Amino acid sequence: MSYDEVEIEDMEWNEELQAYTYPCPCGDLFQITKEDLKLGEEIARCPSCSLYITVVYNMEDFLADSDQNRRNNGLQPSKQQPVTVA
């Protein structure tokens, strides 16, 4: 069972860990990466104990961020090309 449910807005972005973090009662931090969130993961784990929290967030916010990064890098989402069969 999850220790708690936490809104993503209540978590803090940790540049060093490259993860969203939230204080754990043991003194360490629950952690979840943007990549995990993009994959639909909603469990942030503490690396020092067995506790974990459920992260409440809108997955589309992270997928849109991913699409924006591709556009900023000059990459476009892959498009299917028609194939002619003889």
Side-chain angles (χ1 to χ4, degrees):
M1 186 166 125
S2 179
Y3 170 72
D4 200 0
E5 284 191 357
V6 177
E7 299 274 343
I8 191 76
E9 292 85 8
D10 295 331
M11 297 182 80
E12 185 174 309
W13 176 252
N14 183 309
E15 195 67 37
E16 183 179 328
L17 296 173
Q18 288 293 298
Y20 286 96
T21 61
Y22 190 78
C24 180
C26 79
D28 205 344
L29 297 169
F30 294 106
Q31 303 173 19
I32 191 165
T33 65
K34 285 183 181 179
E35 289 73 27
D36 289 338
L37 295 167
K38 289 176 191 174
L39 293 173
E41 180 63 59
E42 57 184 26
I43 301 298
R45 301 186 186 281
C46 177
S48 297
C49 71
S50 62
L51 294 178
Y52 61 92
I53 57 172
T54 302
V55 180
V56 180
Y57 71 104
N58 184 348
M59 186 194 239
E60 286 92 25
D61 292 343
F62 289 90
L63 295 177
D65 182 45
S66 178
D67 289 342
Q68 183 65 35
N69 286 342
R70 273 195 294 255
R71 274 186 235 115
N72 289 343
N73 292 333
L75 302 174
Q76 295 297 319
S78 62
K79 295 182 173 108
Q80 291 184 344
Q81 299 295 322
V83 176
T84 305
V85 178

